[in-house]
Amino acid sequence: MQLRESFALRIETDDPFRMWSGHGDLDIPADIVEAEPARYIGAGELLNAPDFDQGINYTAERIEIQLSGASTPMIQMALEEAASVTNARVHFITMRFDTDWQLVEVEYEAVFRADKITVSSQDSDDGRTRTITLSIGTEDTNRNRAPMAYFTDQDQRRRSPDDAIFSNVSGINQGTSRTFGPR
């Protein structure tokens, strides 16, 4: 059977935002991510996302997903929700349909972290084109920590005040010194 593919995004905010690259709304059944049946808003051909790689032990990947030709209400919603989207989980989904465009399969391909939403506007011969861009990176992306960081109790408690996993680190290192340079 020849299957047709489309892709979708699910942004985990307080009220999850769902969008797919088809026309009209699409209802999908409950599954491993959606506890109940969910409705995805159709963005049609306006939703654009580049190919991405999934690898192990390599540089974290960043991609940008664009919605061009956005309406004024969509722009307002993006600007209002920008703060809640930052650091939210973003599921990249492939949806497969049969030849009659009936949903056959929903595959959650990757999980990313949202960085930011930007809105741009550009004049053209046909008028003004407004674009919403969602910048996302792989779950391993963390620019706050140096690659050769030493974890301390203070560092961990800054991230999670009640987590004491590194509380004994200072006792382990007490009375020892690190030598640097050639031996």
Side-chain angles (χ1 to χ4, degrees):
M1 172 173 31
Q2 180 74 20
L3 295 179
R4 299 175 178 190
E5 286 189 344
S6 191
F7 70 90
L9 295 175
R10 180 183 189 276
I11 304 172
E12 285 187 16
T13 54
D14 292 335
D15 182 19
F17 180 75
R18 301 169 183 95
M19 182 182 295
W20 77 292
S21 62
H23 297 281
D25 293 344
L26 175 67
D27 293 324
I28 68 164
D31 56 25
I32 61 170
V33 174
E34 300 287 0
E36 300 175 359
R39 176 164 287 168
Y40 282 71
I41 299 169
E45 296 174 17
L46 303 176
L47 188 60
N48 178 27
D51 290 336
F52 60 89
D53 294 321
Q54 291 179 308
I56 299 172
N57 293 334
Y58 75 105
T59 306
E61 186 172 10
R62 310 208 60 69
I63 61 174
E64 290 188 343
I65 298 174
Q66 296 182 329
L67 175 62
S68 296
S71 65
T72 301
M74 186 69 89
I75 296 284
Q76 289 173 342
M77 184 178 70
L79 293 173
E80 290 169 2
E81 298 296 325
S84 66
V85 168
T86 301
N87 208 30
R89 289 171 58 110
V90 178
H91 293 270
F92 193 92
I93 307 161
T94 298
M95 296 181 175
R96 293 184 180 85
F97 302 86
D98 63 16
T99 54
D100 295 326
W101 286 101
Q102 298 303 306
L103 186 63
V104 174
E105 179 184 21
V106 176
E107 179 183 356
Y108 294 88
E109 289 200 37
V111 178
F112 294 93
R113 285 279 172 199
D115 276 338
K116 62 181 177 177
I117 290 181
T118 56
V119 176
S120 61
S121 180
Q122 185 174 357
D123 287 326
S124 66
D125 294 338
D126 299 329
R128 181 174 296 271
T129 302
R130 292 175 281 197
T131 303
I132 300 172
T133 303
L134 173 64
S135 175
I136 59 178
T138 56
E139 287 261 285
D140 296 333
T141 304
N142 185 349
R143 296 185 196 139
N144 298 331
R145 187 176 75 224
M148 297 296 288
Y150 294 100
F151 294 102
T152 65
D153 187 46
Q154 184 180 11
D155 292 336
Q156 184 61 24
R157 289 190 187 261
R158 196 171 21 244
R159 292 180 64 199
S160 180
D162 59 348
D163 188 351
I165 193 165
F166 294 120
S167 61
N168 294 323
V169 170
S170 61
I172 294 170
N173 291 333
Q174 199 168 30
T176 63
S177 62
R178 292 187 187 97
T179 55
F180 296 95
R183 294 181 182 202

